[in-house]
Amino acid sequence: MATQTVKRRSRDGLPVPVPEIPALADPRLHGARCAGMAPTFDVWIPNESDDDRRDRLAYAQHLCSRCTVRVACRQAATEHDASGIWGGVLHGDAGRPKREAA
Ligand code: SF4
């Protein structure tokens, strides 16, 4: 069966979960609200403005605050090289990536 690739957006233009996408590989995170929402939870998105980044990360943290596996997610973040929003906490934010010299 082919995977559905339709992208859905919320009223504010951010992606919304696609229920057909399976839960994350870690069985503790089954039911994660972020499933299918990459890159909403990433540290950086190329060419994103500071305002858009702030709004996006706040939205991700809002979703985490209502996620039933938040506690397990925070534990999982300690076991991985976590980057981005995990359990409502931003990991790996070492400043905006520098442009490579030409
Ligand atoms: S707490 Fe946040 S990052 Fe963790 S599984 Fe839930 S929605 Fe995803």
Side-chain angles (χ1 to χ4, degrees):
M1 184 165 100
T3 302
Q4 184 174 3
T5 58
V6 175
K7 293 184 178 176
R8 301 184 310 163
R9 300 271 174 183
S10 64
R11 264 188 241 153
D12 55 8
L14 293 169
V16 296
V18 178
E20 296 81 6
I21 293 178
L24 300 176
D26 189 325
R28 294 173 298 179
L29 304 184
H30 181 76
R33 289 183 62 101
C34 57
M37 296 193 66
T40 303
F41 290 70
D42 288 357
V43 174
W44 298 105
I45 295 177
N47 304 317
E48 181 180 45
S49 73
D50 289 343
D51 286 346
D52 286 349
R53 177 178 185 262
R54 183 193 62 241
D55 291 348
R56 176 178 58 80
L57 293 178
Y59 178 65
Q61 289 173 318
H62 169 71
L63 292 176
C64 289
S65 73
R66 306 178 82 190
C67 181
T68 58
V69 296
R70 184 176 65 251
V71 173
C73 181
R74 286 185 178 179
Q75 177 61 39
T78 68
E79 302 166 8
H80 300 281
D81 186 18
S83 177
I85 300 286
W86 286 62
V89 177
L90 179 60
H91 297 268
D93 186 5
R96 181 175 287 281
K98 306 276 187 294
R99 288 189 173 177
E100 292 183 22

